[in-house]
Amino acid sequence: MSLTKPELLQAYRKMYEIRAFEERLHLENTGGDIPGFIHLYTGEEAIAVGVCENLTPQDYIGSTHRGHGHCIAKGCDIRGMMAEIFGKETGLCRGKGGSMHIADLEQGMLGANAIVGGAPPLVIGASLTAKTLGNKGVGVSFTGDGGSNQGLVFEAMNMAVVLQLPTIFIFENNGFGEATGHDYAVGGRNITRRAEGFGMPAVRVDGVDFFAVYEAVKEAVQRAREGGGPTAIEAMAYRWHGHFEGDPMLYRAEGEVERLRAEKDPLKIFRSKTRKQLSDAELDAIETEVNALVDEAVSKAKADPYPPAENVLTDVYASY
Amino acid sequence: MSLTKPELLQAYRKMYEIRAFEERLHLENTGGDIPGFIHLYTGEEAIAVGVCENLTPQDYIGSTHRGHGHCIAKGCDIRGMMAEIFGKETGLCRGKGGSMHIADLEQGMLGANAIVGGAPPLVIGASLTAKTLGNKGVGVSFTGDGGSNQGLVFEAMNMAVVLQLPTIFIFENNGFGEATGHDYAVGGRNITRRAEGFGMPAVRVDGVDFFAVYEAVKEAVQRAREGGGPTAIEAMAYRWHGHFEGDPMLYRAEGEVERLRAEKDPLKIFRSKTRKQLSDAELDAIETEVNALVDEAVSKAKADPYPPAENVLTDVYASY
Amino acid sequence: MAIKTYREAVKEALAQEMERDERVVLIGEDVRGGQAGTASPEKLATIEAFGGVLGVTKGLWTQFGSSRVIDTPITESAIVGMAAGAAMTGLRPVAELMFMDFFGVCYDMIYNQAAKFRYMFGGKAKTPLVMRGMIGAGFSAAAQHSQSPYNIFGSTPGVKVVVPSSPYDVKGLLIQSIRDEDPVIFCEHKALYELKGEVPEHAYTIPLGVANYTREGTDVTIIALSAMVHKANAVADKLLKEGISVEVVDPRTVSPLDEEGILESVASTGRVVIVDESSARFGFAHDVAALIASQAFHHLKAPIVLITPPHTPVPFSPPLEQAWIPSVERIEAAVRKLMEA
Amino acid sequence: MAIKTYREAVKEALAQEMERDERVVLIGEDVRGGQAGTASPEKLATIEAFGGVLGVTKGLWTQFGSSRVIDTPITESAIVGMAAGAAMTGLRPVAELMFMDFFGVCYDMIYNQAAKFRYMFGGKAKTPLVMRGMIGAGFSAAAQHSQSPYNIFGSTPGVKVVVPSSPYDVKGLLIQSIRDEDPVIFCEHKALYELKGEVPEHAYTIPLGVANYTREGTDVTIIALSAMVHKANAVADKLLKEGISVEVVDPRTVSPLDEEGILESVASTGRVVIVDESSARFGFAHDVAALIASQAFHHLKAPIVLITPPHTPVPFSPPLEQAWIPSVERIEAAVRKLMEA
Ligand SMILES: Cc1ncc(C[n+]2csc(CCOP(=O)(O)OP(=O)(O)O)c2C)c(N)n1
Ligand SMILES: Cc1ncc(C[n+]2csc(CCOP(=O)(O)OP(=O)(O)O)c2C)c(N)n1
Ligand SMILES: [Mg+2]
Ligand SMILES: [Mg+2]
């Protein structure tokens, strides 16, 4: 294992931040305080963190409608995210974006994106910037199994291969796009092989295992930084909640989610794989800290003011 | 060889019709009589005819900007085509479409299409009709090597696999999209392999050999009619003229086209492969007939009237 | 007459047309919903987990089966293109785009294809396709899920554009749209799905291009579409008590447009307010204002008033979004001002 | 001052900005042209076979090399999306769409992405991207290669839209567009590429949102864009000899729009003709007519006249296409009629 103890602790912290953030949102949303649509990332934490622990703030990621995990992993401020999701002036996008549009360019986060398949074309652009400026940066796009069928995504893969861009295409295969299984929607039933057809290395990894994701991405990032072009990585994982909050998941086996929570929990798996390096006490302490942070983020977000109505006309060139 | 003598004669006639039509257009265009853009199909005749000799009028094809060959092969009237290209009232589309929009639904020709990659999504629709009505029809789309990189095409392939539609995706790899070589633009440099990644059988064939195309398409059509789903076929061929009439082809080797005309002429190759079944005299007679037909088509097209200006308001629901 | 929601009316229109004409098929993402799930095979063989994200088509798969209710991957160009190709060759597909905001990933299949076939092929093709989808702000669905691009659709020749405001209208117009020989873009406002109203049981049609006067009046004409009609009606009802007589014209279809129906009302009132959620520029309000300024100029007693959102994306935060959407207050103020002028 | 064509002016703007700022890159199909050809390696290493289909960018690859002049596959969503992503992260890309008619295959990358980032991300992003492409009918390029969808672009908040009519304007506006921090859609009319005019050698800018009065007059205001400006000028020149004084206002940019510049002219003449190639519905003519009917109503002496194409696709055959395009004759007749009214 190539990671130091502080790195391992950091990885766990990030994963737990996502977990605590999302599970709290689930509760808050049930309470009815949150405007708009919410898509939770719980169960897929190892992907976002396994990817982003390989990146620096000079690297860029582009995300999906299910973007909270990517934001947290890439370093977005949790308070700013929570305030954004609650629609407050103090939010990362000053309340204008919401859950599906959280962005933080200073952290290299190009935005959640509510257009399925929207990120890959943008991310190859960030990769082009890195290549043109010669700064060794990379761009990473996240796309779901459902999104993997979108024309935008295929075009971006082809372009990245043609221009040999430093891009990593992460496919988060959580089994479903809304209520439709990946086995139905993905022609050939194999996102990895389809990506390979575009002429780049592609691997499938266990997306609930932080280490599997981390190592595959590490290799891809290194290749990209060295001018070796793009890579596709399909990370197999599971969505614990509904497509959006409110989906009763009629299409899933009874007891499936309970089983996943028991057997496929990225955090539990991480704990068991790091038993030799990290103690439960250390990890529990992190959880306590993070819980407090999320509590604070929620109370702050609730207390913070909404943006004033006149802000509807700011951040745009038109004054009418 | 599974083809009867009348079938062979018919195939040669169709290929020669295309050849004569296109070479005549080349001349007429130089004369300056033809409005708009012209893209010639010369050199690729074996593909259109190798495909369409497997089809009936109940099968549909969707074409490209370089569509004259497909139209002729699918049975469009040469006089109506010529008149259309000259912008005359007697044209197949009454002068409203022109070279890039010739269509004839009665012949199962869904239209040339000036949007690169435009045909495949439409053709899967025709295939869906056939599947839904259970009439054993198939849909065939033509796309160039350049067009093979368009998102529309990937989406159509994926959909055809998911719904197991009776579609054949023909990729005419003539080496170039405009001035850009296929080796540059096609990620992975292999259209066939990329199509395979979508989960369908895919083969590459020699596109200047009528028989190679014919046999591959035959198998694909049979599979499609029997409910076996889509197939992709990449036919390797050569474009003899510029991308459009007027392109000086700076990007091509000196003498290349002359060499192709000598060595890769689909008509010559057909003649040499059918030496045992067909006599030169028989084939020459066909050429003479076709030449007369094309002559007639051109004189008629020139003599025919333009549509009256008030036709600008017909064939559309609005009256202003 | 039975009272039904707008959502039920949409579904009833689909069901009745599918029953009447087996060439009518539904195509879209999760229009059934639940394919290849992890539930037991028996359960999967019966459920419609989604029936469209808003449950509009729920029940149709059970009734018509997988060859008529076709779930697709997330691949809008292929959905709309497939529908167009199927329409040219003998089916009458109803493609669902879910949110009309997604038109940007697939509009070529309407703009350069379906909309043009009939004309471009010299009258030799028909493309009887309906593309359904949601429009409208008000749910904090944010910038990419709250738009109303019927103005963009309306600028495309060859395509018809329908934007119904009531359960009665949505059923009659959808049936008509499915029977129409031209491609139709059918815009359902999210805020209306729960709206209830009288809807006859039987299949009926409302012709495209005929406006509905939802209020009759003599002082001011308000022209409004979709969710905005109800705001206009509220203003009309309120002001009537004060003796201001407001006529509300709901054109119902953006294209074809009932120009006469609009101009007649303008001729009788001479004062015009147009309320439009589509855009601050190049919107429905502008299109209708231009019609009036060129065709009914001499009837006008005062400037035409346009009430639109600002020229900005739709903001997420509820107070910003409320400031963005044309409000009853703005409409009322505009009418009052016109009466003073 | 040197006389140059519109085409040369475009290229000069690109070259000068690329020289000044190395973050400016060109992206598009065959913007160089000739990659992986069959010519000898030596020849391929030097030629720009196309330089864009109309030769506009020819010479730039030789000057700036492959990392600044980037040939792409035929993949417009990836071209425009890549440009948007590059713009957010530090480059200033100029993406070429070749024909603006192709917007339908890639518009999401403008409509829901580039145009919205600044607003949707609370002011924390800029997307200094230019999307260039051709518009316009007149070449029998038929229904899918002759359109002018600047009305659709103009209805999208967050994006700026430029539609220049002269060599002088096209250079100054393109340089300004490249330096602008917002995404700009830059529409070049095919019929203008050979037009000659005075173009200074040095780099200069023309601000976006400032109209140009190409003719000054007192009787009638004609508002026109792009190729239509020249038709309006011709009518003005002809009628001046008869004592009819026509003012021609070329807004030059559709968005932002010089509302004051338009309204001032209307205030002085009271008679308005708007000539617009974009669309018979929801077009630029409608947008401007609405502006005038709401803001300058009391100055109007007569109905606003809109001269647009019919609400049909662009037909191929030359006589049909000529009947489709707004003509000098129609403009002249409209002005005469206004003077009689
Ligand atoms: C272009 C587009 N089409 C459809 C949708 C509606 N939609 C939102 S999320 C989603 C499913 C995405 O599935 P997947 O890519 O697997 O991501 P997951 O939700 O599983 O993370 C769909 C269809 C959209 N937002 N954008
Ligand atoms: C969407 C779209 N993008 C670009 C073009 C411009 N264009 C027309 S033909 C062509 C090249 C097509 O190459 P290929 O698909 O290989 O077909 P070929 O011309 O070789 O037959 C291009 C780029 C277009 N018409 N449509
Ligand atoms: Mg998924
Ligand atoms: Mg080619």
Side-chain angles (χ1 to χ4, degrees):
Chain A
M1 191 176 301
S2 60
L3 288 152
T4 64
K5 183 162 173 182
E7 285 169 340
L8 290 173
L9 288 170
Q10 166 71 1
Y12 190 80
R13 174 183 298 271
K14 285 284 162 205
M15 290 202 291
Y16 189 73
E17 281 178 5
I18 298 172
R19 173 67 52 86
F21 191 91
E22 296 294 67
E23 294 294 12
R24 181 63 179 266
L25 272 183
H26 178 66
L27 293 177
E28 295 295 332
N29 189 63
T30 314
D33 264 355
I34 298 178
F37 296 111
I38 297 282
H39 307 81
L40 299 180
Y41 193 68
T42 324
E44 307 181 46
E45 296 87 348
I47 308 177
V49 179
V51 169
C52 293
E53 287 303 303
N54 283 289
L55 306 179
T56 77
Q58 280 72 54
D59 298 317
Y60 285 100
I61 68 166
S63 167
T64 67
H65 58 287
R66 197 177 301 287
H68 306 159
H70 310 136
C71 292
I72 292 175
K74 194 67 176 60
C76 293
D77 174 52
I78 281 183
R79 279 163 292 230
M81 287 177 60
M82 193 65 85
E84 187 60 34
I85 292 168
F86 276 80
K88 298 305 176 74
E89 160 94 83
T90 48
L92 270 181
C93 304
R94 301 166 70 203
K96 282 184 170 159
S99 164
M100 292 197 289
H101 305 296
I102 300 177
D104 189 346
L105 287 148
E106 279 174 27
Q107 299 299 329
M109 166 63 196
L110 294 172
N113 206 314
I115 296 300
V116 168
L122 302 171
V123 165
I124 61 171
S127 306
L128 180 70
T129 299
K131 190 182 172 189
T132 307
L133 303 181
N135 66 13
K136 303 267 176 205
V138 303
V140 180
S141 70
F142 291 93
T143 309
D145 51 295
S148 80
N149 302 305
Q150 183 67 271
L152 300 168
V153 180
F154 300 125
E155 290 197 13
M157 289 199 284
N158 191 60
M159 183 80 99
V161 170
V162 169
L163 301 181
Q164 284 293 292
L165 297 175
T167 308
I168 295 104
F169 296 94
I170 304 290
F171 292 101
E172 303 187 303
N173 189 337
N174 63 7
F176 290 94
E178 292 187 357
T180 299
H182 64 137
D183 271 356
Y184 176 79
V186 177
R189 301 192 173 180
N190 192 324
I191 295 173
T192 310
R193 202 174 51 137
R194 202 166 60 180
E196 248 165 16
F198 284 84
M200 68 185 132
V203 288
R204 180 181 271 186
V205 300
D206 183 356
V208 293
D209 176 3
F210 167 84
F211 297 100
V213 177
Y214 181 85
E215 295 300 332
V217 174
K218 188 173 178 182
E219 189 183 321
V221 167
Q222 193 172 332
R223 179 163 50 240
R225 293 203 201 285
E226 287 167 1
T231 303
I233 296 172
E234 180 184 12
M236 310 302 287
Y238 307 91
R239 200 185 72 205
W240 291 5
H241 289 282
H243 167 57
F244 46 64
E245 285 299 271
D247 166 11
M249 294 205 278
L250 302 178
Y251 46 89
R252 297 188 77 165
E254 263 179 60
E256 180 187 3
V257 173
E258 292 67 31
R259 189 179 52 72
L260 294 173
R261 284 186 185 261
E263 294 170 16
K264 297 287 188 183
D265 181 341
L267 283 92
K268 285 191 193 151
I269 293 171
F270 185 93
R271 277 195 185 232
S272 81
K273 292 210 170 190
T274 54
R275 228 168 262 305
K276 293 209 185 101
Q277 295 92 336
L278 310 177
S279 73
D280 273 347
E282 283 169 313
L283 296 173
D284 291 349
I286 286 177
E287 296 197 359
T288 308
E289 271 174 54
V290 169
N291 287 340
L293 175 64
V294 171
D295 277 346
E296 188 209 321
V298 170
S299 358
K300 219 177 141 307
K302 288 186 176 174
D304 281 347
Y306 283 109
E310 61 265 26
N311 278 15
V312 81
L313 281 178
T314 56
D315 306 320
V316 65
Y317 70 82
S319 56
Y320 50 86
Chain B
M1 195 174 299
S2 60
L3 288 153
T4 64
K5 184 163 174 179
E7 285 169 340
L8 290 172
L9 288 170
Q10 166 72 359
Y12 190 80
R13 174 183 298 272
K14 284 285 161 202
M15 291 202 289
Y16 189 73
E17 280 178 4
I18 298 173
R19 174 67 53 85
F21 191 92
E22 295 294 69
E23 294 294 10
R24 181 62 178 267
L25 271 183
H26 177 66
L27 293 177
E28 294 295 333
N29 189 63
T30 315
D33 265 355
I34 298 179
F37 298 111
I38 296 282
H39 307 81
L40 299 180
Y41 192 70
T42 324
E44 308 181 45
E45 297 87 348
I47 308 177
V49 179
V51 169
C52 293
E53 288 302 303
N54 283 289
L55 306 180
T56 76
Q58 280 71 55
D59 298 318
Y60 285 100
I61 68 167
S63 167
T64 68
H65 56 288
R66 198 178 299 289
H68 306 161
H70 310 138
C71 293
I72 293 175
K74 194 68 178 59
C76 294
D77 173 51
I78 280 182
R79 279 163 292 230
M81 286 178 60
M82 193 65 85
E84 186 61 33
I85 292 168
F86 276 80
K88 298 305 178 71
E89 160 96 81
T90 48
L92 271 181
C93 305
R94 302 166 70 202
K96 281 185 170 158
S99 163
M100 292 197 287
H101 305 295
I102 300 177
D104 189 345
L105 287 148
E106 279 173 28
Q107 298 300 329
M109 165 63 196
L110 294 172
N113 205 313
I115 296 300
V116 168
L122 302 171
V123 166
I124 60 171
S127 307
L128 180 71
T129 300
K131 190 181 172 189
T132 307
L133 304 182
N135 65 12
K136 303 265 175 206
V138 303
V140 180
S141 71
F142 292 92
T143 309
D145 49 297
S148 80
N149 302 303
Q150 185 67 269
L152 300 169
V153 181
F154 301 126
E155 289 195 14
M157 289 198 284
N158 191 60
M159 183 81 98
V161 170
V162 169
L163 301 181
Q164 284 295 291
L165 297 175
T167 308
I168 294 104
F169 296 94
I170 304 290
F171 291 101
E172 303 187 303
N173 189 339
N174 62 7
F176 290 95
E178 291 187 356
T180 298
H182 64 137
D183 273 354
Y184 177 79
V186 177
R189 302 190 172 182
N190 192 323
I191 295 173
T192 310
R193 203 175 49 138
R194 203 165 59 181
E196 248 166 14
F198 284 83
M200 68 185 133
V203 289
R204 180 180 271 186
V205 300
D206 183 358
V208 293
D209 176 3
F210 167 84
F211 297 100
V213 177
Y214 180 85
E215 293 300 333
V217 174
K218 189 175 178 179
E219 190 183 319
V221 167
Q222 194 172 330
R223 180 163 46 238
R225 294 203 201 286
E226 287 167 2
T231 303
I233 296 173
E234 180 183 11
M236 310 302 287
Y238 307 91
R239 199 185 72 206
W240 291 5
H241 287 282
H243 166 58
F244 45 65
E245 285 299 88
D247 167 11
M249 293 205 278
L250 303 177
Y251 46 89
R252 298 189 76 164
E254 263 179 59
E256 180 187 2
V257 173
E258 292 67 30
R259 188 180 52 72
L260 294 173
R261 283 186 186 262
E263 296 170 15
K264 297 288 187 182
D265 182 340
L267 284 91
K268 287 191 192 149
I269 293 171
F270 185 94
R271 277 195 185 233
S272 81
K273 292 211 169 190
T274 53
R275 229 169 264 303
K276 295 210 183 96
Q277 295 91 334
L278 312 177
S279 75
D280 274 345
E282 284 170 313
L283 296 173
D284 292 347
I286 286 178
E287 296 196 0
T288 309
E289 271 175 54
V290 170
N291 288 339
L293 175 65
V294 170
D295 277 346
E296 186 208 324
V298 170
S299 1
K300 219 178 140 307
K302 287 185 176 174
D304 280 348
Y306 283 108
E310 61 265 26
N311 278 13
V312 81
L313 281 178
T314 56
D315 306 320
V316 65
Y317 70 83
S319 57
Y320 50 85
Chain C
M1 234 187 301
I3 300 294
K4 287 168 196 149
T5 63
Y6 189 95
R7 177 187 285 108
E8 286 161 351
V10 172
K11 187 175 126 186
E12 196 166 280
L14 293 171
Q16 290 180 345
E17 282 306 288
M18 291 179 80
E19 235 163 67
R20 197 182 70 89
D21 183 346
E22 56 176 30
R23 297 167 304 170
V24 178
V25 299
L26 303 192
I27 302 172
E29 293 157 22
D30 286 304
V31 286
R32 170 195 169 191
Q35 313 267 10
T38 48
S40 66
E42 303 76 53
K43 187 166 173 206
L44 282 180
T46 59
I47 58 152
E48 298 182 65
F50 271 41
V53 268
L54 286 180
V56 177
T57 54
K58 201 159 182 160
L60 297 176
W61 175 81
T62 308
Q63 192 176 350
F64 297 102
S66 297
S67 71
R68 304 281 303 284
V69 178
I70 301 169
D71 265 359
T72 71
I74 304 170
T75 181
E76 286 79 10
S77 283
I79 293 169
V80 180
M82 182 166 80
M88 290 175 93
T89 54
L91 298 186
R92 304 186 83 84
V94 180
E96 180 178 315
L97 194 58
M98 200 178 307
F99 293 84
M100 285 299 185
D101 310 65
F102 305 160
F103 87 89
V105 299
C106 61
Y107 199 49
D108 189 75
M109 286 293 136
I110 298 285
Y111 179 71
N112 278 320
Q113 312 293 342
K116 292 186 167 48
F117 292 149
R118 179 171 152 205
Y119 189 85
M120 192 164 71
F121 299 157
K124 294 184 184 162
K126 331 181 269 204
T127 314
L129 131 81
V130 176
M131 179 172 99
R132 290 179 49 237
M134 278 180 271
I135 58 168
F139 289 80
S140 294
Q144 296 173 341
H145 280 66
S146 303
Q147 298 163 94
S148 299
Y150 50 76
N151 60 325
I152 292 178
F153 306 150
S155 93
T156 306
V159 88
K160 295 176 179 168
V161 183
V162 182
V163 192
S165 66
S166 73
Y168 180 86
D169 284 357
V170 85
K171 179 173 171 186
L173 289 166
L174 182 50
I175 292 179
Q176 178 58 40
S177 298
I178 294 171
R179 296 184 189 175
D180 202 280
E181 301 290 11
D182 283 316
V184 177
I185 302 184
F186 197 88
C187 303
E188 301 164 17
H189 200 294
K190 304 175 190 68
L192 298 177
Y193 280 127
E194 298 293 323
L195 184 74
K196 289 188 175 153
E198 294 199 334
V199 178
E201 293 298 326
H202 68 278
Y204 58 93
T205 60
I206 299 173
L208 308 186
V210 178
N212 184 25
Y213 286 31
T214 61
R215 295 292 182 275
E216 302 206 353
T218 51
D219 293 326
V220 176
T221 298
I222 305 182
I223 300 152
L225 282 172
S226 193
M228 296 300 124
V229 172
H230 304 281
K231 298 193 179 192
N233 288 344
V235 170
D237 294 345
K238 176 169 178 193
L239 293 182
L240 187 59
K241 296 178 196 138
E242 301 178 22
I244 303 177
S245 168
V246 174
E247 185 147 284
V248 178
V249 182
D250 172 4
R252 299 195 283 201
T253 65
V254 153
S255 194
L257 180 68
D258 185 353
E259 303 193 346
E260 271 173 44
I262 291 170
L263 293 173
E264 212 169 280
S265 175
V266 173
S268 76
T269 64
R271 297 187 191 86
V272 180
V273 176
I274 316 172
V275 192
D276 172 25
E277 196 179 334
S278 70
S279 181
R281 299 284 312 280
F282 298 88
F284 180 68
H286 308 76
D287 186 69
V288 172
L291 171 73
I292 295 169
S294 61
Q295 307 296 315
F297 176 73
H298 294 297
H299 293 292
L300 285 177
K301 298 174 187 156
I304 300 173
V305 180
L306 281 67
I307 299 185
T308 72
H311 196 47
T312 74
V314 186
F316 164 71
S317 182
L320 296 181
E321 191 184 32
Q322 284 313 314
W324 189 92
I325 302 172
S327 64
V328 169
E329 293 70 32
R330 284 176 67 198
I331 303 171
E332 183 183 330
V335 174
R336 285 187 194 281
K337 199 164 158 219
L338 273 180
M339 289 309 292
E340 282 158 21
Chain D
M1 236 188 298
I3 301 292
K4 287 167 197 154
T5 63
Y6 188 95
R7 177 187 283 108
E8 287 161 351
V10 172
K11 186 175 125 186
E12 197 167 281
L14 293 171
Q16 291 181 344
E17 282 306 287
M18 291 178 80
E19 237 164 65
R20 197 182 70 87
D21 183 347
E22 56 176 29
R23 297 167 303 170
V24 179
V25 299
L26 303 191
I27 303 171
E29 292 158 21
D30 285 306
V31 285
R32 170 195 169 188
Q35 312 268 10
T38 47
S40 66
E42 303 76 53
K43 188 167 173 207
L44 281 181
T46 60
I47 57 153
E48 298 180 65
F50 270 41
V53 268
L54 284 179
V56 178
T57 56
K58 202 160 182 160
L60 297 176
W61 174 80
T62 309
Q63 193 177 347
F64 297 102
S66 296
S67 69
R68 305 282 301 284
V69 179
I70 302 169
D71 265 359
T72 70
I74 304 171
T75 179
E76 287 80 8
S77 282
I79 293 169
V80 180
M82 183 166 79
M88 289 175 95
T89 54
L91 299 185
R92 303 186 82 84
V94 180
E96 182 178 312
L97 194 59
M98 199 178 306
F99 293 85
M100 285 300 184
D101 311 64
F102 305 161
F103 88 89
V105 298
C106 61
Y107 199 51
D108 189 76
M109 286 293 136
I110 299 285
Y111 179 71
N112 278 320
Q113 313 292 341
K116 292 186 167 48
F117 291 150
R118 180 171 151 206
Y119 188 85
M120 192 165 71
F121 299 158
K124 293 182 182 162
K126 329 182 271 203
T127 315
L129 131 80
V130 176
M131 179 172 99
R132 291 180 48 238
M134 277 180 272
I135 58 168
F139 288 81
S140 294
Q144 295 174 343
H145 281 65
S146 303
Q147 299 163 94
S148 299
Y150 50 76
N151 60 325
I152 292 178
F153 307 149
S155 94
T156 306
V159 88
K160 295 175 178 167
V161 182
V162 182
V163 191
S165 67
S166 74
Y168 179 86
D169 284 356
V170 84
K171 178 172 171 185
L173 289 167
L174 182 50
I175 292 180
Q176 179 58 40
S177 298
I178 294 172
R179 295 185 190 176
D180 202 279
E181 302 291 10
D182 282 316
V184 177
I185 302 185
F186 197 88
C187 301
E188 301 164 17
H189 200 294
K190 304 177 190 65
L192 298 177
Y193 279 128
E194 298 293 323
L195 183 73
K196 287 188 176 152
E198 294 197 335
V199 179
E201 295 296 327
H202 68 279
Y204 58 92
T205 60
I206 298 172
L208 308 186
V210 178
N212 183 27
Y213 286 31
T214 61
R215 293 293 183 274
E216 302 205 353
T218 51
D219 293 327
V220 176
T221 298
I222 305 183
I223 300 152
L225 280 171
S226 194
M228 296 300 125
V229 172
H230 304 283
K231 299 194 178 190
N233 287 343
V235 170
D237 294 345
K238 176 169 177 193
L239 294 182
L240 187 60
K241 294 177 196 136
E242 301 179 22
I244 302 177
S245 169
V246 174
E247 184 146 285
V248 178
V249 182
D250 172 5
R252 300 195 283 201
T253 64
V254 151
S255 194
L257 180 68
D258 186 354
E259 303 193 345
E260 271 174 42
I262 291 170
L263 293 173
E264 213 169 279
S265 175
V266 173
S268 76
T269 64
R271 297 186 191 86
V272 180
V273 175
I274 316 172
V275 191
D276 172 25
E277 196 179 335
S278 68
S279 181
R281 298 284 314 280
F282 298 89
F284 180 69
H286 308 76
D287 186 67
V288 172
L291 171 73
I292 295 169
S294 61
Q295 307 295 314
F297 176 72
H298 294 296
H299 293 291
L300 285 177
K301 297 174 187 155
I304 300 173
V305 180
L306 281 67
I307 300 186
T308 72
H311 197 47
T312 74
V314 186
F316 164 71
S317 183
L320 295 180
E321 190 184 31
Q322 285 312 313
W324 189 92
I325 302 173
S327 65
V328 169
E329 293 70 32
R330 283 177 67 199
I331 303 171
E332 184 184 329
V335 173
R336 285 187 193 283
K337 194 159 163 226
L338 271 181
M339 290 308 292
E340 283 159 21

